[in-house]
Amino acid sequence: MLILGIETSCDETAAAVVEDGREILSSCVASQVEDHKAFGGVVPEIASRKHLETINFVVEQALGEAKVDFNDLQAAAVTYGPGLAGALLIGIQTAKAISFVHKIPLIGINHLEGHIYSAFLEDSTLSPPAIALIVSGGHTSLVYVKDLGDYEVLGQTRDDAAGEVFDKVARMMDLGYPGGPIIDSLAKKGDVKAVKFPQARLKSGSPFDFSFSGVKTSVLYYLRYTKKDEVASKEDIAASFQYAVVETLVKKSLAAAKEKKTDKIILGGGVAANSYLRQVLKERAGKEGISAYSPSLSFCTDNAAMIAGLGFVRYNLGDRSSFSLNACPNLSL
Ligand code: KG4
Ligand code: ZN
């Protein structure tokens, strides 16, 4: 079964063709990073306009690379939330038009579930139950995946998302945008113990919730109040900040796996591309007899292959969306 996936929730215009939920025939992503760079973050209005300009070309490219045409498709799966309302609508309207004209089912997909599915897309040996750590520019969630389609959210961030805090710290350090990949590569040359930044320990509420405002403010104060000749190098600050964030993410993920008695942890979302997070999770999980599954870098960040792949699962679960499908900017799992 060939499914076309469309993803426009944030600043990547993406389309993909996936066969039977696993076989990626094409995965095309047009990034808008250059359009938003000057503003230091995603400008929603620019994002919508760029999606509109690009979407038809990206869909054509995805079909071309998969060597199929519209008549070969059996369904159109599209992200309908969470994300930017105007941006989501461009993908949704495109998928509706394709569904209507070619008389194929329309399937609305939750972007967060897509990030969870990325690990399954690439590894046919992986099966639930598992713990999923979804860390992106907009979300930080620890999820118990009982089965595909059956989730229990164990914890979420109370303030900034993991990717957001990477981007904000990079901005404080004048490193550029998006900050995550820049900090990742700088940190490789730095000392994780150079500066002690706080790891949030939440006393009340869920032990699996996250808070990154403390580490963010701590970096800000460090940069503002440390004497010029005592300030650590950019590399050391990046490594120390990244260490504080990664330690929190890894400790909570392992604790969640123990609580749910599962021996699998899945990573997903843009921050899952972080080389230090991938390495530390793998090492630490390995010591506890837990396997860590990290998708390839291109399937960590936003893409449409995860949407098309999950579309197959959702199709088999009986999901069909009507033409009244609307954007749900705050959709949760
Ligand atoms: O999943 P994604 O592409 O978009 C959202 O759904 O938000 O995630 C984008 C986020 C950005 O905040 C970016 O800085 C972060 O993922 N990111 C990284 C890395 N690559 C992307 N953060 C840390 N290390 C990386 N290598
Ligand atoms: Zn995402």
Coordinates of all heavy atoms in Angstrom, one line a residue, residues 129-218:
P129 N 5.9 -2.9 23.9 CA 5.9 -1.6 24.6 C 7.3 -1.0 24.7 O 8.3 -1.7 24.6 CB 5.4 -2.0 26.0 CG 5.9 -3.4 26.2 CD 5.8 -4.0 24.9
A130 N 7.4 0.3 24.8 CA 8.6 1.1 24.9 C 8.4 2.4 25.6 O 7.2 2.8 25.6 CB 9.2 1.3 23.5
I131 N 9.4 3.0 26.0 CA 9.4 4.4 26.5 C 9.8 5.3 25.3 O 10.8 4.9 24.7 CB 10.3 4.6 27.7 CG1 9.8 3.9 28.9 CG2 10.4 6.1 28.0 CD1 8.4 4.4 29.5
A132 N 9.1 6.4 25.0 CA 9.6 7.3 24.0 C 9.9 8.6 24.6 O 9.1 9.2 25.4 CB 8.5 7.4 22.9
L133 N 11.1 9.1 24.3 CA 11.4 10.5 24.7 C 11.3 11.4 23.4 O 12.1 11.2 22.5 CB 12.9 10.5 25.3 CG 13.4 11.9 25.6 CD1 12.6 12.5 26.8 CD2 14.9 11.9 25.9
I134 N 10.4 12.2 23.4 CA 10.2 13.1 22.2 C 10.7 14.5 22.6 O 10.1 15.2 23.5 CB 8.7 13.2 21.8 CG1 8.1 11.8 21.6 CG2 8.5 14.0 20.6 CD1 9.0 11.0 20.6
V135 N 11.8 14.9 21.9 CA 12.4 16.2 22.3 C 12.6 17.0 21.0 O 13.3 16.7 20.1 CB 13.8 16.0 23.0 CG1 13.6 15.9 24.5 CG2 14.5 14.8 22.4
S136 N 11.8 18.1 20.9 CA 11.9 18.9 19.7 C 11.9 20.4 20.0 O 12.0 20.7 21.2 CB 10.7 18.6 18.7 OG 9.5 19.1 19.3
G137 N 11.7 21.2 19.0 CA 11.7 22.6 19.2 C 10.5 23.1 20.0 O 10.5 24.1 20.7
G138 N 9.4 22.3 19.9 CA 8.2 22.7 20.6 C 7.7 21.8 21.7 O 6.8 22.1 22.5
H139 N 8.3 20.6 21.8 CA 7.8 19.6 22.8 C 8.9 18.9 23.5 O 10.0 18.6 22.9 CB 6.9 18.6 22.1 CG 5.7 19.3 21.5 ND1 4.6 19.4 22.2 CD2 5.5 19.9 20.3 CE1 3.7 20.1 21.5 NE2 4.2 20.4 20.4
T140 N 8.6 18.5 24.7 CA 9.5 17.6 25.5 C 8.5 16.6 26.2 O 7.8 17.1 27.1 CB 10.3 18.3 26.5 OG1 11.0 19.4 25.8 CG2 11.3 17.4 27.2
S141 N 8.4 15.4 25.7 CA 7.4 14.5 26.4 C 8.1 13.1 26.6 O 8.8 12.6 25.7 CB 6.2 14.3 25.5 OG 5.6 15.5 25.2
L142 N 7.7 12.6 27.7 CA 8.1 11.2 28.0 C 6.9 10.4 27.9 O 5.9 10.7 28.7 CB 8.8 11.2 29.4 CG 9.7 10.1 29.8 CD1 10.8 9.8 28.7 CD2 10.4 10.4 31.1
V143 N 6.9 9.4 27.1 CA 5.6 8.7 26.8 C 5.8 7.2 26.9 O 6.8 6.6 26.5 CB 5.2 9.0 25.3 CG1 3.9 8.3 24.9 CG2 5.1 10.5 25.0
Y144 N 4.8 6.5 27.5 CA 4.8 5.1 27.6 C 4.0 4.6 26.4 O 2.8 4.9 26.2 CB 4.2 4.6 28.9 CG 4.1 3.1 29.0 CD1 5.2 2.3 28.6 CD2 3.0 2.5 29.5 CE1 5.1 0.9 28.7 CE2 2.9 1.1 29.7 CZ 4.0 0.3 29.2 OH 3.9 -1.1 29.3
V145 N 4.7 3.9 25.4 CA 4.1 3.4 24.2 C 3.6 2.0 24.5 O 4.4 1.1 24.5 CB 5.1 3.5 23.0 CG1 4.4 3.0 21.7 CG2 5.6 4.8 22.8
K146 N 2.4 1.8 24.9 CA 1.9 0.5 25.2 C 1.8 -0.3 23.9 O 2.1 -1.5 23.8 CB 0.5 0.6 25.8 CG 0.5 1.2 27.2 CD -0.9 1.3 27.8 CE -0.9 2.5 28.6 NZ -2.3 2.9 29.1
D147 N 1.3 0.4 22.9 CA 1.2 -0.1 21.5 C 1.1 1.1 20.6 O 0.9 2.2 21.0 CB -0.1 -0.9 21.4 CG -0.1 -2.0 20.3 OD1 0.9 -1.9 19.5 OD2 -0.9 -2.9 20.2
L148 N 1.3 0.9 19.3 CA 1.1 2.0 18.4 C -0.3 2.4 18.4 O -1.2 1.6 18.2 CB 1.6 1.6 16.9 CG 3.1 1.5 16.7 CD1 3.4 0.9 15.4 CD2 3.7 2.8 17.0
G149 N -0.6 3.7 18.7 CA -1.9 4.1 18.9 C -2.4 4.2 20.3 O -3.5 4.7 20.6
D150 N -1.6 3.6 21.3 CA -2.1 3.5 22.7 C -0.9 4.1 23.5 O 0.1 3.4 23.8 CB -2.4 2.1 23.0 CG -3.0 1.9 24.4 OD1 -3.3 3.0 25.0 OD2 -3.2 0.8 24.8
Y151 N -1.1 5.3 24.0 CA 0.0 6.0 24.7 C -0.4 6.5 26.1 O -1.6 6.9 26.3 CB 0.4 7.2 23.8 CG 0.7 6.9 22.4 CD1 -0.2 7.2 21.4 CD2 1.9 6.2 22.1 CE1 0.1 6.9 20.1 CE2 2.2 5.8 20.8 CZ 1.3 6.2 19.8 OH 1.5 5.8 18.5
E152 N 0.5 6.6 27.0 CA 0.3 7.2 28.2 C 1.5 8.2 28.4 O 2.6 7.9 28.4 CB 0.4 6.1 29.4 CG 0.2 6.7 30.8 CD 0.5 5.7 31.8 OE1 0.5 4.4 31.5 OE2 0.7 6.1 33.0
V153 N 1.1 9.5 28.5 CA 2.1 10.6 28.6 C 2.5 10.6 30.1 O 1.7 10.8 31.0 CB 1.5 11.9 28.2 CG1 2.6 13.0 28.4 CG2 1.1 11.9 26.7
L154 N 3.8 10.3 30.4 CA 4.3 10.2 31.7 C 4.7 11.6 32.3 O 4.6 11.9 33.4 CB 5.4 9.3 31.8 CG 5.1 7.8 31.4 CD1 6.4 7.0 31.4 CD2 4.1 7.2 32.3
G155 N 5.2 12.4 31.4 CA 5.7 13.7 31.8 C 5.9 14.6 30.6 O 6.1 14.2 29.5
Q156 N 6.0 16.0 30.9 CA 6.2 16.9 29.8 C 6.9 18.1 30.4 O 7.1 18.2 31.6 CB 4.8 17.5 29.4 CG 3.9 16.4 28.8 CD 2.8 17.0 28.0 OE1 3.0 17.6 27.0 NE2 1.6 16.7 28.5
T157 N 7.3 19.0 29.6 CA 8.1 20.2 30.1 C 7.1 21.2 30.7 O 6.0 21.3 30.2 CB 8.9 20.9 29.1 OG1 9.6 21.9 29.7 CG2 8.1 21.4 27.9
R158 N 7.5 21.8 31.8 CA 6.6 22.8 32.4 C 6.9 24.2 31.9 O 6.2 25.2 32.1 CB 6.9 22.9 33.9 CG 6.5 21.5 34.5 CD 6.5 21.7 36.0 NE 6.3 20.4 36.7 CZ 6.4 20.2 38.0 NH1 6.7 21.2 38.7 NH2 6.2 19.0 38.5
D159 N 8.0 24.3 31.1 CA 8.3 25.7 30.6 C 8.9 25.5 29.2 O 8.2 25.1 28.3 CB 9.3 26.4 31.5 CG 10.3 25.5 32.2 OD1 11.1 24.9 31.5 OD2 10.3 25.5 33.4
D160 N 10.2 25.7 29.0 CA 10.7 25.6 27.6 C 10.9 24.2 27.2 O 11.1 23.3 28.0 CB 12.1 26.3 27.6 CG 12.1 27.8 27.7 OD1 11.1 28.4 27.5 OD2 13.1 28.3 28.1
A161 N 10.7 24.0 25.9 CA 11.0 22.6 25.3 C 12.5 22.5 25.2 O 13.2 23.5 25.2 CB 10.4 22.5 23.9
A162 N 13.0 21.2 25.1 CA 14.4 21.0 25.1 C 15.1 21.7 23.9 O 16.1 22.4 24.1 CB 14.7 19.5 25.0
G163 N 14.5 21.6 22.7 CA 15.1 22.3 21.5 C 15.0 23.8 21.7 O 16.0 24.5 21.3
E164 N 14.0 24.3 22.3 CA 13.8 25.7 22.5 C 15.0 26.3 23.4 O 15.5 27.4 23.1 CB 12.5 25.9 23.2 CG 11.9 27.3 23.2 CD 10.6 27.3 23.9 OE1 10.0 26.3 24.3 OE2 10.0 28.5 24.1
V165 N 15.3 25.5 24.4 CA 16.4 26.0 25.3 C 17.7 25.9 24.6 O 18.6 26.8 24.8 CB 16.3 25.2 26.7 CG1 16.9 23.9 26.6 CG2 17.0 26.0 27.7
F166 N 18.0 24.9 23.7 CA 19.2 24.9 22.9 C 19.2 26.2 22.1 O 20.2 26.9 22.0 CB 19.2 23.7 22.0 CG 19.9 22.5 22.6 CD1 19.2 21.5 23.3 CD2 21.3 22.3 22.4 CE1 19.8 20.4 23.8 CE2 21.9 21.2 23.0 CZ 21.2 20.3 23.7
D167 N 18.1 26.5 21.4 CA 18.0 27.7 20.5 C 18.2 29.0 21.3 O 18.9 29.9 20.8 CB 16.7 27.7 19.8 CG 16.6 26.5 18.8 OD1 17.6 25.9 18.4 OD2 15.4 26.2 18.4
K168 N 17.6 29.1 22.5 CA 17.8 30.3 23.3 C 19.2 30.5 23.8 O 19.7 31.6 23.8 CB 16.7 30.3 24.4 CG 15.3 30.5 23.9 CD 14.3 30.6 25.1 CE 12.9 30.9 24.6 NZ 11.9 30.6 25.6
V169 N 19.8 29.4 24.3 CA 21.1 29.5 24.8 C 22.1 29.9 23.7 O 23.0 30.7 23.8 CB 21.6 28.2 25.5 CG1 23.1 28.1 25.8 CG2 20.8 28.1 26.9
A170 N 21.9 29.3 22.5 CA 22.7 29.7 21.4 C 22.6 31.1 21.0 O 23.6 31.8 20.7 CB 22.3 28.8 20.1
R171 N 21.4 31.6 21.2 CA 21.1 33.1 20.9 C 21.9 33.9 21.9 O 22.5 34.9 21.5 CB 19.6 33.4 20.9 CG 19.3 34.7 20.2 CD 17.8 35.0 20.2 NE 17.0 33.9 19.8 CZ 15.7 33.7 20.2 NH1 15.1 34.6 20.9 NH2 15.0 32.7 19.7
M172 N 21.8 33.5 23.2 CA 22.5 34.3 24.2 C 24.0 34.3 23.9 O 24.7 35.3 24.3 CB 22.4 33.6 25.6 CG 21.0 33.7 26.2 SD 21.2 32.6 27.7 CE 19.5 32.2 28.0
M173 N 24.5 33.2 23.3 CA 26.0 33.1 23.1 C 26.3 33.7 21.7 O 27.5 33.5 21.3 CB 26.4 31.7 23.2 CG 26.3 31.1 24.6 SD 26.6 29.3 24.7 CE 28.4 29.3 24.3
D174 N 25.3 34.2 21.0 CA 25.5 34.8 19.6 C 26.1 33.7 18.7 O 27.0 34.0 17.9 CB 26.5 36.0 19.6 CG 25.9 37.2 20.2 OD1 24.6 37.4 19.9 OD2 26.5 38.0 20.8
L175 N 25.5 32.5 18.8 CA 26.1 31.4 17.9 C 25.3 31.3 16.6 O 25.8 30.6 15.7 CB 26.0 30.1 18.7 CG 26.8 30.0 20.0 CD1 26.6 28.7 20.6 CD2 28.3 30.2 19.6
G176 N 24.1 31.8 16.5 CA 23.3 31.6 15.3 C 22.1 30.7 15.5 O 21.9 30.2 16.6
Y177 N 21.4 30.5 14.4 CA 20.1 29.8 14.5 C 20.1 28.7 13.4 O 20.5 28.9 12.3 CB 19.0 30.8 14.3 CG 17.6 30.1 14.1 CD1 16.9 29.7 15.3 CD2 17.1 29.8 12.9 CE1 15.7 29.0 15.1 CE2 15.9 29.2 12.7 CZ 15.2 28.8 13.8 OH 14.0 28.1 13.7
P178 N 19.5 27.5 13.6 CA 19.0 27.0 14.9 C 20.2 26.5 15.8 O 21.2 26.1 15.3 CB 18.1 25.8 14.5 CG 18.6 25.4 13.2 CD 19.2 26.6 12.5
G179 N 20.0 26.7 17.1 CA 21.1 26.6 18.0 C 21.6 25.1 18.3 O 22.7 24.9 18.5
G180 N 20.6 24.2 18.2 CA 20.9 22.8 18.6 C 22.1 22.3 17.9 O 23.1 21.8 18.6
P181 N 22.1 22.2 16.6 CA 23.2 21.6 15.9 C 24.6 22.4 16.1 O 25.6 21.8 16.2 CB 22.9 21.7 14.4 CG 21.4 22.0 14.4 CD 21.0 22.6 15.7
I182 N 24.5 23.7 16.3 CA 25.7 24.5 16.5 C 26.3 24.1 17.9 O 27.5 23.9 18.0 CB 25.4 26.0 16.5 CG1 24.8 26.4 15.1 CG2 26.7 26.8 16.7 CD1 24.2 27.8 15.0
I183 N 25.4 24.1 18.9 CA 25.9 23.7 20.3 C 26.5 22.3 20.3 O 27.5 22.0 20.9 CB 24.8 23.9 21.3 CG1 24.5 25.4 21.5 CG2 25.1 23.2 22.7 CD1 23.5 25.8 22.5
D184 N 25.8 21.4 19.6 CA 26.2 20.0 19.5 C 27.6 19.9 19.0 O 28.5 19.3 19.5 CB 25.2 19.3 18.5 CG 25.4 17.8 18.5 OD1 26.4 17.3 19.0 OD2 24.6 17.1 17.8
S185 N 27.9 20.7 17.9 CA 29.3 20.5 17.3 C 30.3 21.3 18.2 O 31.4 20.8 18.3 CB 29.3 20.9 15.8 OG 29.2 22.3 15.7
L186 N 30.0 22.4 18.7 CA 30.9 23.1 19.6 C 31.3 22.3 20.8 O 32.5 22.2 21.2 CB 30.3 24.4 20.1 CG 30.5 25.7 19.3 CD1 29.8 26.8 20.1 CD2 31.9 26.1 19.1
A187 N 30.3 21.6 21.4 CA 30.4 20.9 22.6 C 31.4 19.7 22.5 O 32.0 19.3 23.5 CB 29.1 20.4 23.1
K188 N 31.6 19.3 21.2 CA 32.5 18.1 21.0 C 33.9 18.5 21.4 O 34.7 17.6 21.7 CB 32.4 17.7 19.5 CG 31.2 17.0 19.2 CD 31.2 16.4 17.8 CE 29.9 15.7 17.5 NZ 29.3 15.9 16.2
K189 N 34.2 19.8 21.4 CA 35.6 20.3 21.7 C 35.6 20.9 23.1 O 36.6 21.5 23.5 CB 36.0 21.3 20.7 CG 36.2 20.8 19.3 CD 36.4 21.8 18.2 CE 35.3 21.8 17.1 NZ 34.7 23.0 16.8
G190 N 34.6 20.7 23.9 CA 34.5 21.3 25.2 C 34.5 20.3 26.3 O 34.4 19.1 26.1
D191 N 34.6 20.9 27.6 CA 34.7 20.0 28.8 C 33.3 20.1 29.5 O 32.9 21.2 29.9 CB 35.8 20.6 29.7 CG 35.8 19.9 31.1 OD1 35.1 18.9 31.3 OD2 36.6 20.4 31.9
V192 N 32.7 19.0 29.7 CA 31.3 19.0 30.2 C 31.3 19.4 31.7 O 30.3 19.9 32.2 CB 30.6 17.6 30.1 CG1 30.4 17.2 28.7 CG2 31.4 16.5 30.9
K193 N 32.5 19.4 32.3 CA 32.6 19.7 33.8 C 33.1 21.2 34.0 O 33.4 21.6 35.1 CB 33.5 18.7 34.5 CG 32.9 17.3 34.5 CD 31.9 17.1 35.6 CE 31.0 15.9 35.5 NZ 31.7 14.6 35.7
A194 N 33.3 21.9 32.9 CA 33.9 23.2 33.0 C 33.1 24.2 33.9 O 33.6 24.9 34.7 CB 34.2 23.8 31.6
V195 N 31.8 24.2 33.6 CA 30.9 25.1 34.4 C 29.8 24.2 34.9 O 29.2 23.3 34.2 CB 30.3 26.2 33.5 CG1 29.5 27.2 34.4 CG2 31.3 26.8 32.6
K196 N 29.4 24.4 36.2 CA 28.3 23.6 36.8 C 27.0 24.3 36.6 O 26.7 25.2 37.3 CB 28.6 23.3 38.2 CG 27.8 22.1 38.8 CD 28.3 21.7 40.2 CE 27.7 20.5 40.7 NZ 26.4 20.3 40.5
F197 N 26.2 23.8 35.6 CA 24.9 24.3 35.4 C 23.9 23.4 36.1 O 24.1 22.2 36.1 CB 24.5 24.5 33.9 CG 25.4 25.6 33.3 CD1 26.2 25.3 32.2 CD2 25.3 26.9 33.7 CE1 26.9 26.3 31.5 CE2 26.1 27.9 33.1 CZ 26.9 27.6 32.0
P198 N 22.7 23.9 36.6 CA 21.8 23.1 37.3 C 21.0 22.1 36.5 O 20.7 22.4 35.4 CB 20.9 24.1 38.0 CG 20.9 25.3 37.1 CD 22.3 25.3 36.5
Q199 N 20.8 20.9 37.1 CA 19.8 19.9 36.5 C 18.6 20.0 37.3 O 18.6 19.8 38.5 CB 20.4 18.5 36.5 CG 21.7 18.4 35.7 CD 22.4 17.0 36.0 OE1 21.8 16.0 36.3 NE2 23.7 17.0 35.9
A200 N 17.5 20.2 36.6 CA 16.2 20.4 37.4 C 15.8 19.2 38.1 O 15.7 18.1 37.5 CB 15.1 20.8 36.4
R201 N 15.5 19.3 39.4 CA 14.9 18.2 40.2 C 13.6 18.7 40.6 O 13.5 19.7 41.4 CB 15.8 17.9 41.4 CG 17.0 17.0 41.0 CD 17.8 16.6 42.2 NE 19.1 16.2 41.7 CZ 20.1 17.1 41.6 NH1 19.9 18.4 42.0 NH2 21.3 16.8 41.2
L202 N 12.5 18.1 40.1 CA 11.2 18.7 40.5 C 10.7 17.9 41.7 O 10.6 16.7 41.7 CB 10.3 18.5 39.3 CG 10.7 19.3 38.0 CD1 9.8 19.0 36.9 CD2 10.8 20.8 38.3
K203 N 10.4 18.7 42.7 CA 10.0 18.1 44.0 C 8.5 17.7 43.9 O 8.1 16.6 44.3 CB 10.2 19.0 45.1 CG 11.7 19.2 45.4 CD 12.0 19.9 46.7 CE 13.5 20.1 46.9 NZ 13.9 21.3 46.4
S204 N 7.7 18.6 43.4 CA 6.2 18.4 43.4 C 5.8 17.9 42.1 O 6.4 18.0 41.0 CB 5.5 19.6 43.8 OG 5.8 20.6 42.8
G205 N 4.6 17.3 42.0 CA 4.0 16.8 40.8 C 4.7 15.6 40.2 O 5.2 14.8 41.0
S206 N 4.7 15.5 38.9 CA 5.2 14.3 38.3 C 6.7 14.2 38.3 O 7.4 15.2 37.9 CB 4.7 14.2 36.8 OG 5.5 13.4 36.1
P207 N 7.3 13.1 38.7 CA 8.8 13.0 38.6 C 9.3 12.9 37.2 O 10.5 13.1 37.0 CB 9.0 11.7 39.3 CG 7.8 10.9 39.2 CD 6.6 11.9 39.2
F208 N 8.3 12.8 36.3 CA 8.8 12.7 34.9 C 8.6 14.0 34.1 O 8.8 14.0 32.9 CB 8.1 11.5 34.2 CG 8.4 10.2 34.8 CD1 7.4 9.4 35.3 CD2 9.7 9.8 34.9 CE1 7.7 8.2 35.9 CE2 10.0 8.6 35.5 CZ 9.0 7.8 36.0
D209 N 8.1 15.0 34.8 CA 8.0 16.3 34.1 C 9.5 16.9 34.0 O 10.4 16.5 34.7 CB 7.1 17.3 34.9 CG 5.7 17.1 34.6 OD1 5.4 16.4 33.6 OD2 4.8 17.7 35.3
F210 N 9.6 17.9 33.1 CA 10.9 18.6 32.9 C 10.7 20.1 33.1 O 9.6 20.6 33.0 CB 11.3 18.4 31.4 CG 11.5 16.9 31.0 CD1 10.5 16.2 30.5 CD2 12.8 16.3 31.2 CE1 10.7 14.9 30.1 CE2 13.0 15.0 30.9 CZ 11.9 14.3 30.3
S211 N 11.8 20.7 33.5 CA 11.9 22.2 33.5 C 13.2 22.6 33.1 O 14.2 22.1 33.6 CB 11.6 22.7 34.9 OG 11.9 24.1 35.0
F212 N 13.3 23.4 32.0 CA 14.6 23.9 31.6 C 14.8 25.4 31.8 O 15.9 25.9 31.3 CB 14.8 23.5 30.1 CG 14.8 22.1 29.8 CD1 13.7 21.4 29.1 CD2 15.8 21.3 30.3 CE1 13.7 20.1 28.9 CE2 15.8 19.9 30.0 CZ 14.8 19.3 29.4
S213 N 13.9 26.0 32.5 CA 14.1 27.5 32.6 C 15.3 27.8 33.6 O 16.0 28.8 33.5 CB 12.8 28.2 33.1 OG 12.5 27.6 34.4
G214 N 15.5 26.9 34.6 CA 16.6 27.0 35.5 C 18.0 27.0 34.8 O 18.8 27.9 35.0
V215 N 18.2 26.0 34.0 CA 19.5 25.9 33.3 C 19.7 27.1 32.3 O 20.7 27.7 32.2 CB 19.7 24.6 32.6 CG1 18.7 24.3 31.5 CG2 21.1 24.4 32.1
K216 N 18.6 27.5 31.7 CA 18.6 28.6 30.8 C 19.0 29.9 31.5 O 19.9 30.6 31.0 CB 17.2 28.8 30.1 CG 17.1 29.9 29.1 CD 15.7 30.1 28.6 CE 14.8 30.7 29.7 NZ 13.4 30.8 29.2
T217 N 18.4 30.2 32.6 CA 18.7 31.4 33.4 C 20.1 31.4 33.9 O 20.8 32.4 34.0 CB 17.6 31.6 34.5 OG1 16.3 31.4 34.0 CG2 17.7 32.9 35.2
S218 N 20.5 30.2 34.3 CA 21.8 30.0 34.9 C 22.9 30.3 33.8 O 23.9 31.0 34.1 CB 21.9 28.6 35.4 OG 23.2 28.3 35.8

